[in-house]
Amino acid sequence: MSNSERKIIFGAAATATSLQDCRDRVALGDTKAFRFLFDHFAEKLTRFAYAIIKDEDEAILIMDEVFVKVWKNRQSIATVENITSYLYKATKNTALNHLSKKAKDNIAQPFDFIDIYVEANDNPEQNMIFSETYHKIQTAVEELPPKCKMVFKLVREDGLRYKEVADILNISVKTVDAQMVLAVKKISEKLQNHFEAFPRKKVKKN
Amino acid sequence: MKGHLMLNERLAILLSRKLSGEATLEEEKELQEWLLAHPGDEFFASLLQEYWNNNHQHSFVKEQADRHFKAILEIAEEEKNNIQEASVSVVPPVQPRRKLFVLQMAAAVLAIVLGIAIFYYFRNSTNPVIHANEVTATKGSKTRIELPDGTKVWINSDSRLTYNHDFNGKTREVVLDGEAFFDVVKDPNRPFIVHTNLIDIRVLGTAFNVKSYEQDENVETTLIRGLIEVSSKIKPSSPKIHLVANEKLVITKNEFTAPDVHSLGDEENKLSGFTVTALPSHISDSVLAETSWMYNRLIFDGESFKEVAVKMERWYNVKIHFTNAQVANYRLRGVFEKETAEEALKALQTIASFSYKINVNEIEISK
């Protein structure tokens, strides 16, 4: 168990390093590094944009726009501290621009109404029992409050650090932490009924 | 303390941090000890961990990613060059690189843009082109010219191309009424723009065809290589339509020009009345219906007789009338190469039941 944990920690560190390395190479005009960046983030940023703009075609346009900006201004990208946060923030700003252009509204608290789509897993190899639980958890995640779901999704699906999520959503690391705790609690509550279906659990509760 | 099923605050904190990879070593140890002592929580934690790990990401299919990536590079370079040009305008424009151009020609796959420009564009609009050159191909004829920058243009029947005499501005701009095929010399410092009544087509170094007849109902844009950017003249601030290789844009004129139904808000800037479809990629440009005219071929593929007749009118410089609506709506498929108008009609009679009368340049088609 401790072995696999170490592996995960190492893996995350390696990714962060290679992304920063990637940033430096992009700044020098390396298209291969830029392609790596694109492959790593295109889908994630599109989904992130979709959460804001609620329009698939436009979400893709926004993603394109973000990468066009990055490549156009690649010389200045070397000064970016965290390329991951930078890309998400650029996506957020571009999407909000599109949105405000569309709605001509004052968007004071964007993330209170932004509801994110969470990746569903349709892996057929899942064993039956887990699959059922999986869907229960999935449903519980879908029912999380928007901000909480957004945080949960960015951490789990996009593998972002609390600091990055805080930076992107313009909230504090404390809030990210609190939202994650809330998510885990809500999931646990929603699963109660499911757990109670097991006789063993029922006996214990009584 | 509540039962095993209720997650206490501390456990929720430890578990969420552990999953997120944000837990300290102490916190991990604390969690592990708690779970060992509480099998019910351990069960929940393992389910959640399994859910957490089971997170395979969808990503763009490679083809889609390739197209987007290519478009992103080209647009970025083009925009970058525009900025540079503005700031260092003293530097003379870069000469087109001949070698690259030859390579480009060797690899020549065609890009086609079919658009519509309305006749009165030339009469009513303030034409930005001063001292314009005008090249016209009459009905039944075609012509080919080379623009001052080396760009080759094939002009189809009943079409007119107008361009600035010296062609020396920061952009290379032409105005088209009718149909033409452009093989544009690549010059990133000077974008090539085709103006039609409905749309402007910005070319990012490629070869393409524009069809832009007043009487046609559709605007069509097809691209086989490279990238073009299409913007609406009616809604200039709406998002541009980018076409990449093997894509065809069809604009329905009526819908495209129709004012927005929504008077307020979010749909204002959206373009409607157009579709983008993929072309079969293995077909060469001489067989493709959109470019076949350059090879003296008239191809129609499932179009109505009425639509074929419009093509034939331009092709043969004739007038065609239908006296029967049913006949006009026949769907036809075929290729004409060297046939005369009469031979073509005879050939069509073998696949469709109709009769015709020819009176000099007038053809009447009936049941």
Side-chain angles (χ1 to χ4, degrees), chain A residues 5 35 43 47 55 64 71-72 75 102 104 119 121 126 156-157 161-162 177 185 192, chain B residues 6 9 17 20-22 28 43 51 54-55 57-58 66 68 77 79-80 265-266 268 270:
Chain A
E5 269 166 38
R35 180 61 196 252
E43 177 73 24
R47 267 189 288 124
D55 179 315
D64 283 343
W71 191 244
K72 208 167 76 180
Q75 277 92 342
K102 273 168 86 175
K104 287 182 180 141
E119 280 291 295
N121 189 304
Q126 222 108 70
R156 174 179 171 251
E157 284 175 25
R161 309 301 310 229
Y162 282 7
D177 191 29
K185 280 206 285 198
Q192 274 199 78
Chain B
M6 292 301 287
E9 182 72 23
R17 288 184 187 164
S20 314
E22 301 279 352
E28 287 203 23
F43 179 59
Y51 170 80
N54 216 300
N55 176 35
Q57 293 278 325
H58 290 247
D66 286 347
H68 277 274
E77 290 300 345
E79 288 182 6
K80 205 175 167 150
D266 59 349
E268 194 182 11
K270 272 217 140 157

Side-chain angles (χ1 to χ4, degrees), chain A residues 50-161:
Chain A
Y50 178 80
I52 299 167
I53 204 92
K54 290 288 187 303
D55 179 315
E56 268 176 52
D57 294 338
E58 208 157 348
I60 291 178
L61 273 179
I62 288 163
M63 180 274 293
D64 283 343
E65 217 175 302
V66 167
F67 279 104
V68 165
K69 268 183 229 160
V70 168
W71 191 244
K72 208 167 76 180
N73 306 317
R74 55 183 180 267
Q75 277 92 342
S76 60
I77 208 147
T79 59
V80 169
E81 197 189 317
N82 182 320
I83 187 72
T84 306
S85 305
Y86 176 82
L87 287 171
Y88 277 85
K89 278 195 278 185
T91 305
K92 184 182 93 175
N93 292 337
T94 310
L96 290 178
N97 276 343
H98 277 235
L99 202 63
S100 66
K101 249 185 255 164
K102 273 168 86 175
K104 287 182 180 141
D105 266 355
N106 183 19
I107 303 155
Q109 292 179 302
F111 287 97
D112 289 346
F113 67 83
I114 289 162
D115 193 14
I116 192 142
Y117 155 78
V118 177
E119 280 291 295
N121 189 304
D122 43 6
N123 187 353
E125 284 164 39
Q126 222 108 70
N127 72 58
M128 290 269 286
I129 297 164
F130 181 68
S131 173
E132 201 190 326
T133 313
Y134 184 93
H135 288 298
K136 285 268 187 290
I137 299 179
Q138 187 71 35
T139 312
V141 171
E142 291 297 345
E143 287 166 2
L144 291 173
K147 191 185 202 173
C148 184
K149 202 203 292 193
M150 170 71 89
V151 169
F152 186 84
K153 183 249 157 188
L154 287 176
V155 174
R156 174 179 171 251
E157 284 175 25
D158 294 15
L160 300 185
R161 309 301 310 229

Side-chain angles (χ1 to χ4, degrees), chain B residues 230-269:
Chain B
V230 181
S231 53
S232 166
K233 272 199 150 68
I234 299 133
K235 300 176 198 167
S237 63
S238 62
K240 311 239 185 303
I241 306 166
H242 287 114
L243 282 196
V244 296
N246 288 315
E247 282 184 347
K248 175 176 179 176
L249 169 74
V250 180
I251 292 171
T252 310
K253 208 173 89 187
N254 286 340
E255 291 175 34
F256 195 73
T257 55
D260 289 312
V261 188
H262 311 261
S263 56
L264 272 172
D266 59 349
E267 294 292 318
E268 194 182 11
N269 252 333

